[in-house]
Amino acid sequence: MTKIKINGAQAWFLAARPKTLTAALIPVAAASALAFSNGHLEWLPTLLCVCFAALMQIAANFINDLFDFLKGTDGKDRLGPERACAQGWITPQAMRKGIILTIVPACAAGLGLLPFGGWGLAILGISCIIFAFLYTTLLSYCGLGDLLVWVFFGFVPVAGTYYVQAGQLIPEVWWLAAACGLVTDTLLVLNNYRDRDTDRISGKRTLIVTMGEPFGRYFYFLQGVAGYLCVAALALYGHTWVAILPMFYLLPHYLTWRKMVEINHGRELNRILGFTSRNMLTFALLVVAAFIAEKLQ
C-alpha cells in the first residue's frame, strides 16, 4: 500500500470504512420503498435520513477505531481490516475531533427531521449517539452487539424513515424492520466468527465466543433465512412481489455460508466480508425493486 500521510485525506477515507455504509443505508432504502409503495414517499425527509444514517455510521466507525485502539485490542496483528489509529494513520487527538465533526452534521440532519416527525425523533437520535459509544466501550464485550444491530440497523431506522414520510406506523414496518436487522447482522456475525479466537483472548464475550463455533456458523445462515421470511410475511398484507423477488437472495447467501464454513477460521474469512456485503445489497435491491414493481403495476 502507498505510504499514507498521517491525518491525511486518504487516512480519513480508510477510517470512515465506506464499505460499511451499505449497512446504514439498507434500512432507509427499504423503508422509503415501502413508503413509495403506499403513496407516501417524501424526498426531503428521505435525504435527511440518508445523511443522518451515513454520518452516524462513519461516526460509529471512528468511535470503534479510537476506543479499540485505546483499549489495546486493535493492534496490527488483527485479522480484520486495518484500523487508522492502530496503524498510526490518524492520531487519537485527531480522531476525537473527527468524531465530533461527524456527529455535529448528523445532529443537524436529525434536527431537520423534527418538523416531519416531532420531538420524539430527538430521543431516537440521542439514543443512536449514546449507543454508538456504548457498543465499542461496553456492550460488544458482553454479547449484546447483535441486539444493537437488530435495533439500530433494523427497527430504529426503518420505523423512523417510514414515520417521517407517512406520519404513521403500520404492521408492515415491523416485519420490514426485522428483516433489515437480521440480514444486516450477518455482517457482524461473520466478523465475530472470524475473530472468535482473538476475542476470547482479549475478553470480548460475543455470542460466538460464549456459544462456540457451531452456533456461529448456523447463526449466520439462519439469520439470512429469517430475514427473508420476515419480508415474505408482507404477502399477508398484499405485498406479493416482496415475498417473491427477495427469494433470489437465498442462493448467494447459502453459497456464501458454505464458503464461510469451508474456510472456518483465519484471515481468509475477510473475503467472505465482501460476499456478505454484496448479499446484503442484493437483498435490499430486490426488496426495493419489489415495492416499486407493485406500485407501477
Side-chain angles (χ1 to χ4, degrees):
M1 180 182 289
T2 306
K3 183 174 177 58
I4 296 173
K5 182 180 178 181
I6 297 177
N7 297 335
Q10 186 180 4
W12 284 108
F13 178 80
L14 292 171
R17 286 181 260 166
K19 291 182 180 179
T20 65
L21 293 181
T22 301
L25 297 179
I26 281 174
V28 176
S32 298
L34 175 60
F36 173 75
S37 176
N38 291 335
H40 298 302
L41 181 65
E42 297 288 344
W43 286 109
L44 180 55
T46 298
L47 291 174
L48 289 171
C49 286
V50 167
C51 291
F52 180 81
L55 288 168
M56 278 307 305
Q57 179 63 47
I58 294 171
N61 290 338
F62 289 168
I63 293 167
N64 186 252
D65 194 317
L66 174 64
F67 281 93
D68 272 355
F69 173 72
L70 295 177
K71 281 176 173 285
T73 58
D74 196 33
K76 295 183 180 182
D77 59 344
R78 182 180 173 88
L79 294 177
E82 296 171 332
R83 304 295 181 87
C85 284
Q87 296 297 320
W89 299 335
I90 295 177
T91 63
Q93 295 80 3
M95 187 63 84
R96 290 187 180 94
K97 294 178 181 178
I99 291 169
I100 295 171
L101 292 175
T102 309
I103 289 178
V104 168
C107 290
L111 289 173
L113 287 167
L114 295 184
F116 300 97
W119 283 97
L121 292 178
I123 298 175
L124 290 182
I126 293 171
S127 298
C128 289
I129 296 171
I130 291 173
F131 281 97
F133 282 93
L134 288 179
Y135 171 78
T136 296
T137 57
L138 176 64
L139 298 178
S140 65
Y141 282 80
C142 54
L144 294 176
D146 300 285
L147 177 61
L148 260 66
V149 170
W150 296 336
V151 173
F152 288 98
F153 288 86
F155 292 99
V156 168
V158 172
T161 299
Y162 189 85
Y163 186 78
V164 297
Q165 298 183 63
Q168 61 179 328
L169 294 174
I170 56 178
E172 296 97 303
V173 168
W174 306 116
W175 287 108
L176 186 61
C180 290
L182 288 164
V183 169
T184 301
D185 194 44
T186 58
L187 194 62
L188 176 64
V189 173
L190 177 59
N191 271 285
N192 291 343
Y193 185 82
R194 177 201 62 205
D195 295 338
R196 60 189 185 273
D197 293 330
T198 54
D199 284 344
R200 185 178 297 107
I201 293 171
S202 66
K204 191 173 184 179
R205 306 297 295 179
T206 65
L207 281 180
I208 295 176
V209 168
T210 302
M211 305 295 289
E213 185 275 336
F215 167 83
R217 68 169 70 174
Y218 291 110
F219 191 41
Y220 176 94
F221 176 69
L222 291 176
Q223 283 211 111
V225 174
Y228 164 71
L229 292 176
C230 285
V231 291
L234 293 177
L236 300 174
Y237 304 92
H239 297 285
T240 306
W241 278 104
V242 186
I244 296 174
L245 285 185
M247 191 183 301
F248 292 97
Y249 155 81
L250 293 175
L251 178 58
H253 174 65
Y254 169 76
L255 294 175
T256 300
W257 172 70
R258 285 291 301 272
K259 191 66 177 176
M260 181 191 86
V261 173
E262 178 184 323
I263 296 172
N264 190 263
H265 67 278
R267 198 176 297 273
E268 194 178 353
L269 282 169
N270 285 333
R271 292 196 297 122
I272 309 301
L273 287 172
F275 296 150
T276 300
S277 295
R278 176 206 62 193
N279 295 345
M280 289 162 48
L281 181 59
T282 298
F283 178 82
L285 291 175
L286 290 169
V287 169
V288 170
F291 281 127
I292 292 175
E294 289 180 351
K295 182 63 175 179
L296 297 179
Q297 276 185 341

